């Protein structure tokens, strides 16, 4: 299927500019010096690799890849690996920085990192993607490892990609090292509950935010942008919790039903066709119109920068739950705040994935696996604890949830820097 150019594909502000503006806001609240600000704004280590690929037809091409550790003061770098055509160093820097604050907000012993390869995976065979992944892993070998930097899936990568990374790393080291990646298949040391963890966490955060207003999950109408690993499971969990899902979309377009979509039939349709588009008993809706729907909750679960000054002004939802990383620009965030729309920020709302990644890493390091019940229970407890801490700080200081979450995350990282001291 060819992706039509939808309005959501218009040029978006740089994610790095958004990340820097968010950090600057937190630094101002915290009253930090310009020296500390500069340190917090700068990646600790960056690697930029060339990935020569032999295509199935015998031709060769050169791809570019990156791994960036934004901060490793609280522990090893942690962050996803993205395969997308628009991946560039600034996007990876921004996403690595977000991971630093996210791990700190949910109080994991990790820093923040991110990786990416500039590639449209839809145009490559599985064997080609395996070769890309293995070569990329070999090139960044010195930087990664269970004590250094641990990878996970992101846009365009999945548990198979993580199995290839883990295998390449292990073969080169000479023994099996499952803890170098998370989000792996269960058969090679993955964790129960990891595949759905981000989406479950989104629903826990949303439930807590609604509860602050005395509203239940079963009372709300929801629109979800992005129907990949995060958006599709979130849609399913919300339908199970009694929410009415009015619209969903993917990069090909969206579908809408004023009475609520039949989510189990929709999931079957996507399994069969690869897209939500064309789902029976629904009307088509484009990605920009979806953001402006008359719903209670809007969940961006696709790409960065979709809620900018213009689109944020059209949002009718009372809550925005950021399942995607960086879906709201700084200008968009200001518009939402001015309009009294409650935003549960990405570094809190989508932290369920990294929380269960942490559980997977702990299990792999101990070679002892937990039950699904233990994982789900601990995930919920972590998410609710993080939400309560952020919401309480927001209330106490009169801040938005984003400012409160960023301030908590940035402060925890800065404290680690300060207590460790400056070497030499
Ligand atoms: P995915 O590749 O599985 O799915 C992405 C979805 O977004 C697909 O449905 C795709 O069609 C859609 N999409 C892509 N471009 C679009 C566009 N321009 N307009 C509308 N829809 C578009 O990726 P994912 O893992 O579900 O990640 C989605 C978001 O969640 C990303 O921002 C990612 O960084 C973030 N996130 C993912 C995880 C995780 O565990 N996978 C954890 C935390 C945050």
């Amino acid at each position: 299927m060819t992706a039509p150019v939808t309005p959501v594909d218009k040029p978006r502000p740089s994610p790095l500019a958004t990340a820097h503006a968010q950090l600057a806001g937190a630094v101002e609240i915290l009253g930090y010096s310009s020296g500390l600000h500069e340190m917090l704004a700068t990646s600790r280590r960056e690697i930029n690799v060339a990935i020569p690929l032999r295509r199935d037809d015998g031709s060769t091409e050169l791809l570019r890849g990156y791994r960036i550790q934004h901060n490793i003061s609280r522990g090893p770098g942690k962050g996803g690996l993205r395969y997308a055509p628009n991946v560039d160093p600034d996007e990876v820097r921004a996403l690595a920085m977000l991971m630093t604050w996210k791990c700190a907000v949910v109080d994991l012993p990790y820093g923040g990192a991110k990786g990416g390869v500039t590639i449209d995976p839809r145009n490559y065979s599985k064997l080609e993607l395996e070769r890309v992944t293995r070569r990329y892993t070999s090139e960044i070998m010195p930087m990664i490892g269970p004590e250094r930097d641990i990878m996970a899936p992101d846009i365009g990568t999945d548990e198979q990609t993580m199995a290839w990374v883990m295998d390449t790393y292990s073969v080169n080291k000479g023994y099996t090292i499952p803890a170098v990646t998370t989000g792996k298949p269960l058969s090679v040391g993955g964790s129960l509950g990891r595949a759905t963890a981000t989406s479950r966490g989104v629903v826990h955060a949303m439930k807590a935010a609604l509860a602050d207003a005395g509203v239940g999950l079963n009372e709300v109408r929801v629109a979800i942008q992005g129907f990949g690993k995060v958006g599709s499971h979130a849609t399913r969990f919300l339908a199970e919790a009694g929410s009415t899902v009015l619209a969903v979309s993917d990069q090909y377009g969206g579908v809408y039903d004023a009475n609520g979509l039949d989510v189990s039939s929709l999931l079957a349709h996507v399994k069969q066709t690869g897209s939500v588009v064309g789902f029976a008993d629904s009307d088509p809706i484009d990605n920009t119109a979806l953001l402006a729907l008359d719903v209670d909750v809007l969940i961006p679960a696709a790409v960065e920068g979709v809620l900018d000054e213009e689109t944020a002004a059209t949002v009718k939802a009372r809550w925005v739950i950021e399942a995607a990383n960086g879906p709201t620009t700084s200008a968009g965030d200001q518009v939402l705040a001015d309009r009294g729309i409650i935003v549960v920020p990405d570094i809190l709302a989508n932290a369920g994935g990294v929380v269960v990644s942490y559980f997977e890493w702990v299990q792999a390091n101990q070679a002892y696996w937990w039950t699904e019940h233990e994982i789900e229970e601990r995930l919920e407890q972590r998410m609710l604890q993080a939400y309560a801490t952020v919401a309480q700080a927001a209330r106490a200081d009169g801040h938005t949830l984003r400012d409160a979450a960023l301030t908590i995350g940035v402060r925890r990282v800065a404290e680690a820097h300060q207590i460790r001291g400056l070497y030499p």
Side-chain angles (χ1 to χ4, degrees), residues 6 8-9 12 82 95 102 114 153-157 194 198 225-231 249-252 287 301-304 306 323-325 350 353:
T6 64
V8 82
D9 289 322
R12 291 188 288 265
R82 177 172 292 195
L95 293 166
K102 188 186 302 181
K114 199 82 180 187
D154 190 70
I155 291 179
T157 59
R194 173 61 184 91
T198 306
Q225 183 184 77
F227 208 72
K229 294 183 287 297
V230 178
S249 68
D250 57 29
Q251 72 215 85
Y252 308 111
N287 267 296
V303 288
E304 296 101 71
V306 293
N325 282 315
N350 72 30

Side-chain angles (χ1 to χ4, degrees), residues 16 65 67 162 191 197 201 206 218 232 253 258 287 307 345 348 360 390:
L16 188 58
R67 186 73 190 171
M162 291 306 110
S191 175
M206 172 170 155
N218 60 349
S232 64
N287 267 296
L307 288 167
L348 175 60
E360 181 176 335
V390 170

Side-chain angles (χ1 to χ4, degrees), residues 105-136:
V105 167
V106 282
D107 211 6
L108 303 180
Y110 288 143
K114 199 82 180 187
V117 176
T118 312
I119 182 174
D120 188 342
R122 292 170 302 175
N123 300 335
Y124 293 80
S125 70
K126 188 171 176 185
L127 282 172
E128 288 171 335
L129 290 173
E130 177 173 358
R131 290 198 286 274
V132 169
T133 305
R134 289 187 182 281
R135 183 60 186 253
Y136 168 75

Side-chain angles (χ1 to χ4, degrees), residues 17-341:
T18 304
H20 277 151
Q22 290 177 351
L23 173 63
V27 164
E28 194 182 326
I29 291 170
L30 291 160
Y32 287 160
S33 67
S34 58
L36 184 54
H37 184 176
E38 195 178 355
M39 190 157 58
L40 294 167
T42 309
S43 304
R44 175 74 180 264
R45 291 182 189 141
E46 302 190 349
I47 188 165
N48 170 344
V49 296
I51 307 165
L53 167 69
R54 183 175 299 106
R55 300 228 39 185
D56 291 340
D57 66 6
S59 64
T60 56
E61 81 183 48
L62 194 74
L63 301 162
R64 313 298 307 194
Y66 314 91
R67 186 73 190 171
I68 293 180
Q69 293 168 355
H70 168 255
N71 193 289
I72 47 175
S73 292
R74 287 170 50 90
K78 183 83 191 82
L81 171 62
R82 177 172 292 195
Y83 285 180
N86 56 332
V87 162
D88 65 26
D90 273 357
E91 182 186 60
V92 181
R93 283 185 191 109
L95 293 166
M97 189 187 291
L98 276 184
M99 284 306 298
T100 301
W101 316 140
K102 188 186 302 181
C103 291
V105 167
V106 282
D107 211 6
L108 303 180
Y110 288 143
K114 199 82 180 187
V117 176
T118 312
I119 182 174
D120 188 342
R122 292 170 302 175
N123 300 335
Y124 293 80
S125 70
K126 188 171 176 185
L127 282 172
E128 288 171 335
L129 290 173
E130 177 173 358
R131 290 198 286 274
V132 169
T133 305
R134 289 187 182 281
R135 183 60 186 253
Y136 168 75
T137 307
S138 305
E139 295 289 344
I140 65 164
M141 277 280 292
M143 224 168 129
I144 60 172
E147 317 83 9
R148 293 171 184 222
D149 185 347
I150 306 127
M151 236 180 261
D154 190 70
I155 291 179
T157 59
D158 58 15
E159 59 174 31
Q160 175 63 77
T161 323
M162 291 306 110
W164 291 328
V165 172
M166 184 280 256
D167 182 68
T168 307
Y169 184 83
S170 298
V171 167
N172 277 281
K173 291 284 180 188
Y175 61 105
T176 299
I177 307 170
V180 66
T181 64
T182 60
K184 295 179 298 296
L186 284 178
S187 53
V188 289
S191 175
L192 292 164
R194 173 61 184 91
T196 54
T198 306
S199 315
R200 279 210 191 277
V202 165
V203 175
H204 292 317
M206 172 170 155
K207 186 178 174 183
L210 297 181
D212 280 347
V215 175
L217 285 174
N218 60 349
E219 294 174 85
V220 290
R221 298 159 309 140
V222 187
I224 300 167
Q225 183 184 77
F227 208 72
K229 294 183 287 297
V230 178
S232 64
H233 290 304
T235 302
R236 180 162 64 85
F237 295 144
L238 286 172
E240 285 167 9
S243 306
T244 309
V245 180
L246 294 196
V248 297
S249 68
D250 57 29
Q251 72 215 85
Y252 308 111
V255 290
Y256 168 70
D257 183 340
N259 297 315
L261 297 161
D262 174 349
V263 169
S264 50
S265 307
L266 172 68
L267 289 163
H269 170 83
V270 173
K271 198 168 176 194
Q272 209 173 11
T273 67
S275 171
V276 300
V277 171
F279 176 55
D281 299 329
S282 68
D283 297 320
I285 185 168
D286 74 38
N287 267 296
T288 306
L290 179 141
L291 299 174
L293 270 180
D294 182 12
V295 288
D296 304 298
V297 181
L298 174 64
I299 305 183
V303 288
E304 296 101 71
V306 293
L307 288 167
D308 57 17
E309 200 168 7
E310 217 175 287
T311 51
T314 69
V315 170
K316 296 191 187 65
R318 189 171 161 200
W319 291 271
V320 173
I321 315 291
E322 293 187 337
N325 282 315
T328 310
T329 67
S330 299
D333 203 36
Q334 191 59 53
V335 171
L336 295 175
D338 291 346
R339 297 182 58 220
I341 295 167

Side-chain angles (χ1 to χ4, degrees), residues 361-379:
W361 177 78
V362 169
Q363 292 170 82
N365 282 330
Q366 297 179 340
Y368 180 80
W369 272 265
W370 309 349
T371 65
E372 191 156 12
H373 177 71
E374 285 170 315
I375 287 156
E376 300 297 2
E377 209 173 37
R378 290 172 192 187
L379 168 64

